[in-house]
Amino acid sequence: MSEYILEMYNITKEFPGIRALDNVSFKVKRGEIHALCGENGAGKSTLMKILSGVYPYGTYSGEIFFNGEKLILHSIKDAEKKGIAIIHQELALIKELSVKENIFIGNEPNKNGIVDFDQMYLNAKKILQQFNLDIDPNTLVKNLGVGQQQLVEIAKALSKNASLLILDEPTSSLTEADVEILLKILKKLKENGVTCIYISHKLDEVMEIADTVTVIRDGKTIGTDSAKNLTKEKIISMMVGRELSQLYPREKHFIGEVFFEVKDFNVYDTKIQNRRIVKNVSFKLRKGEILGIAGLIGAGRTELVSSIFGSYPGKWTGDVYLEGKNVIIKNPSDALKYGIAMVPEDRKKEGLISLMSVKENMTISNLENYKKNLIGTINENRELLDVKDYIKKINIKTSHFSTQVKNLSGGNQQKVVLAKNLLSKPKILILDEPTRGIDVGAKYEIYKLMFSLAKEGISIIMISSELPEILGISDRIIVIHDGEKKGEFENKNVTQEMIMQCAIGGRSNND
Amino acid sequence: MIKSDKTEKDIIKRFSGLNLNIKLYTMVLALVAIWIIFSVATDGNFITPRNISNLLRQTTVTGILAIGMVFVIIAGQIDLSVGSLLGLTGGIAAILNVWYNLNGLVSIFVALIIGILLGLWNGWWVAYRNVPAFIVTLAGLLVFRGILIGISKGYTIAPLSTDFQFIGQAYLTPSSGYILGVVAVFLVIYLVLNSRKTKAKYNLELPPLWIDMLKIAILIFFIGLFIFILNLYRGVPLSVLILLILMLVFSYISSKTVFGRRVYAIGGNVEAAKLSGIDVKKITLILFALNGLLAAFAGVLLTSTLNAASVSAGQNAELDAIAASVIGGASLSGGVGTVFGAVIGALVMASIDNGMSMLNSPPFWQFVVKGLILLIAVWVDVISKNK
Ligand SMILES: Nc1ncnc2c1ncn2[C@@H]1O[C@H](COP(=O)(O)OP(=O)(O)OP(=O)(O)O)[C@@H](O)[C@H]1O
Ligand SMILES: [Mg+2]
C-alpha cells in the first residue's frame, strides 16, 4: 500500500458564474491528521463535498485515488461504503429525532426490517461513552445546545467505522472545554489508525493537532507542508497572501454615559416549568462601548440576549431601560424599532432565508426604510446601492448580489447576516458569536468594522466563546456561569485565566 | 487583466439573470407545445379567434383563484377552502340579486366583503390560533359548502339581472380594445424609460438600450397581437381584462413591494423572518383575507358568466388553483413562486380542458391528463434543480 491514503489530482469544479476549485491537487498520508486551511470561499468545503460524494463523479473534473484505487462516487452512500465519512459545516441533524436515532440514521440496527431500538440505544451509548460524552441517547436533538449537537454529529460519523474522517469546521460552535474533548477524540482516533482531514479557521487548534497543513486560496492550492515547519503567522500569510501584523485592530474610541440597562433578567426553560436558565442578571451598557459576554456554551448567554431582543420563545421577566426610560420589547419588531439589532447564533436557522438572494437577505429587516410610496413599493435602486456598498465594505465574496445565499460559503453567509443588521442602522448591536466560522482576514475586517461602529457611538454587545477575541475586542467583560453573572471586568490587565475561572463558577472582578 | 475581469463579470451577470427565468421559459414553451398539439389534432380549430377567446374566458376563474393561491403557497401555507368559498360568495351574490332583487353591483360588493370576512376567518385560525392551514381550510371547504347548500336550499339560482351578467359576459368594442392597447403601449414605454432615468440618477449600471428597446418591441407585438386576434371575434372579453389587471396588480405587489418581499421571506424561513422584525401573524392574516377576496371575485365572475349560481359551483376549483400555481413554478414548501407563473399554469389547465373537449374525448381523460401534467411539471422542476 502506498504512503498516501488519498490523492486528488487537478480537481476543477465550477458553479454557475464561479470557479470554486481550479486545478487543486491534494494528498493525504495514511494515519495523519491533515489540516485544510483557507479564507472563506477558498473552496475547502467544496473540495470535501467532492471527496464525500455530495457532488458525484462527473460533476467535476480531475482524478481521485483512495487507497491507490481510482475513486468514483455516485452518492454519499458510496463514500460511506468506502469508509469516507464527513461532518458538514452546517449541522445536518434531524431535530425532532433522538440522539440515538440520529446517530444510526440510514444504518439502523434491525431484525427483518424492524428497528431494534434497544440495540440502537446500547450501541449509541457505547459510542458516546467511548469518547466520554455525557449525553443521554434518548434525548431529542432539538433539546441539545449547538455544541452538544456538534458532538452528536461526530458520534454519528464515528458510528460508520470510517477510515477517513472529514471534519468541516467542527469546533466553530464548541466551547474551549468541548474543543478539548474533541481534540482528545481525534488523537485517540489517530492512534486507532483513522486518517482525518480537519478544516478550521482556528489556527491554534490546527497547530496543536495537525501533522500536515495544506492551504488553498481562491480555489488554488498554495502549498502543503508539515506542521513542524510552519507557524501560525506563516499559515495566515499563505491564506491571505500578505502579512497580517496583528489580529485585533484595537482603536481608541470615546465611551459615553450609560444609555442602556438590563435589570433582573430571569429567563425560564421552554420545556421544564420554573427552571431558570438565566438568573437575576443585570448589566449596563454605555454609549459607544463594546461589552463582551463570556462564558461556556450552555451558560445562558444566548437565552439572555434573545429575550432582551424579544425573540426568546419561552417566558422571561426583567426590565430594560433605554436612555433612562423603561421600554417594553415584546418581539424583534419592537426591538428593531428601538434601534436594537441582533445577529443570531444559528445563522442557517435564524439568520438567513436561503432561497432569497444576497440582496434580499441584506435588506429584509430594514425594508421600511426603502418604501417610496403609500402602497409600500421598494425603492430598488437605493436598496441596490446600499447592498453593493456593504458587499464591498465587509468584502462578501459572491458572484453577484442576486445569487441565492445558500450558494455562498459558510463564512460569507455569516457576513451577509452581519451586513443585514448593520443596514438597519442600530443604536445597539447584539452579536451572538459574530465571527464563528470566519477566516482570520475577514475577522480582522469585522473587528475593524466593530470599532468604527463604536466610534460612531453605536454600543455593541458581543457574545463570544473565544477568550482571545473577548479580550482583544471588549471594553468591558461580563462572565456568565450557569445563568448567573459571575464577574465583571474593565478590560485592563485581565487575563484569560481570570475569565476562565469565573466561567467555570468562581466569582471575581477587578473593579 | 482588468478587461478580462470585467467581461467575466458581465457573463456572470447575464447568466444569473437568465437563471431566474429558466423556469418561466420552460413553462411558456410547454404551453406553446400544448397549443401546437391541440391545433394539429383539431385541424386548426383550436387556434381560431373564437376558440382563443373562449379559452381565455375559461381561464379566468382558475386564473384568479391561482393568483391568490400562489401568494398563500409562497408563504408556505395552503388554502383548500377557495372552491367552496367561491361557490358560497357566488351563491350569496345571486341570492341577493335574484331573490331579493338587489342591484347587481351591490350584490357583487356584498359578496366581495363576505369573501374577505371568510378569508379573515381562515387566517385568524391559522395565524392567531396556530391551527395548521391544511386543517383550517379543509374545515372551511366543508363549512362553506354546507352553508351554500343551506341558504340556497339546493336550488339553482337564475337568471341574474343584466348589470350582474355584464361583468362575466361583456366584451370591449374593437375600437375601445385598440385604445386600451395604445394606452398600455405608452405605459410600457414610459415605465421603461422612467426606470432607466432613475437608475441613471442613482449611478447604477444600465442595461444596454437595445435590450430595453427589444423588450418594448416584443411587448408591443404581443399586446397588438392579443387585441387583434380577440377583435377578430367579439373583442376583448371584460372578464379576461379583469384577470389581466389582477395579474399585473398582484405581480407588482409580490415583486415590488415590502409586503411581497415579506411574504417570500416568511415562506423561505419563518424563524429568520420573525427575527427580522416581520409580523408573521399579521401578514398571514392579510394573505388569507386577500385569498378570500380573490375567491369571491372568481365566484362572482363564474356566476355572472353562467348566469346562474348552483350548489356545486366551484367544486374542486381549489385543486385546479393549487395545480396551476405549482405548474407555474410555486413550491409547496414555500418561498418560491410567481403570480405570472400561476396564471400561465391556469392557462395550461384551461387549455387541456378546452382542447380535449374539442376533441370530444370523454371527460375522464381530462382528469387523467391534468393529473399527469402536474406530476411531470414538478418532476421536471426537481430534475432541473438537482443539476
Ligand atoms: N452550490 C453552489 N452554487 C454556486 N456557488 C457555490 C456553491 N457552493 C459553493 N459556491 C461558491 O464556491 C466558492 C467556494 O465555496 P466553499 O464553500 O468551498 O468555501 P469554503 O472554503 O468552505 O469557505 P468557508 O470557510 O467560508 O466555509 C465560494 O465562492 C462559494 O460562493
Ligand atoms: Mg466551508
Side-chain angles (χ1 to χ4, degrees), chain A residues 61-158:
Chain A
S61 69
E63 287 193 312
I64 309 176
F65 294 92
F66 186 63
N67 283 323
E69 273 172 49
K70 193 168 155 103
L71 187 72
I72 294 176
L73 301 172
H74 298 290
S75 67
I76 304 173
K77 201 86 198 164
D78 272 3
E80 284 175 4
K81 269 186 223 143
K82 301 258 179 203
I84 302 174
I86 183 165
I87 297 165
H88 287 288
Q89 185 167 10
E90 310 293 341
L91 294 176
L93 296 173
I94 301 171
K95 307 248 154 129
E96 295 295 331
L97 292 184
S98 67
V99 169
K100 65 172 194 281
E101 285 163 300
N102 266 288
I103 292 180
F104 288 104
I105 195 148
N107 297 317
E108 295 86 353
N110 64 72
K111 282 187 198 128
N112 312 323
I114 313 282
V115 177
D116 183 348
F117 281 102
D118 297 330
Q119 189 64 43
M120 190 190 262
Y121 178 86
L122 290 176
N123 291 356
K125 199 161 180 90
K126 209 163 76 198
I127 292 175
L128 292 170
Q129 259 169 4
Q130 195 178 344
F131 300 103
N132 300 326
L133 299 180
D134 181 24
I135 300 172
D136 176 11
N138 283 331
T139 326
L140 293 189
V141 164
K142 66 173 180 193
N143 295 337
L144 297 178
V146 190
Q148 286 185 315
Q149 290 186 18
Q150 185 67 267
L151 294 174
V152 172
E153 279 269 20
I154 291 164
K156 177 176 157 188
L158 295 177

Side-chain angles (χ1 to χ4, degrees), chain A residues 17 311 332-333 336 348-350 352-353 356 365 367-368 371 376-381 383 385 400 420, chain B residues 12-13 16 198-199 202 204-205 252 256-258 261-262 264-265 268-269 271-272 274-277 334 336:
Chain A
S311 64
S333 144
L336 288 164
K348 192 172 162 197
K349 182 166 145 254
E350 301 175 327
L352 291 170
I353 298 158
M356 285 181 122
S365 59
L367 284 175
E368 292 290 332
K371 272 187 183 172
T377 307
I378 299 167
N379 185 336
E380 291 184 63
N381 294 318
E383 182 190 15
L385 278 186
H400 196 244
K420 157 177 146 178
Chain B
I12 290 166
K13 206 164 293 162
S16 46
T198 47
K199 274 218 176 91
Y202 282 101
L204 287 165
E205 275 169 84
Y252 185 86
K256 298 286 177 200
T257 68
V258 171
R261 193 69 77 73
R262 289 182 174 164
Y264 280 93
N269 182 347
E271 285 307 314
K274 275 186 202 153
L275 281 184
S276 304
V336 189

Side-chain angles (χ1 to χ4, degrees), chain A residues 15-16 18 20 38-46 55 89 169 201 397 407-412 437:
Chain A
F15 294 110
I18 197 159
E39 288 181 297
N40 296 131
K44 304 178 299 290
S45 297
T46 306
Y55 298 134
Q89 185 167 10
E169 293 190 40
H201 291 294
K397 216 182 140 199
N407 292 339
L408 262 54
S409 79
N412 283 301

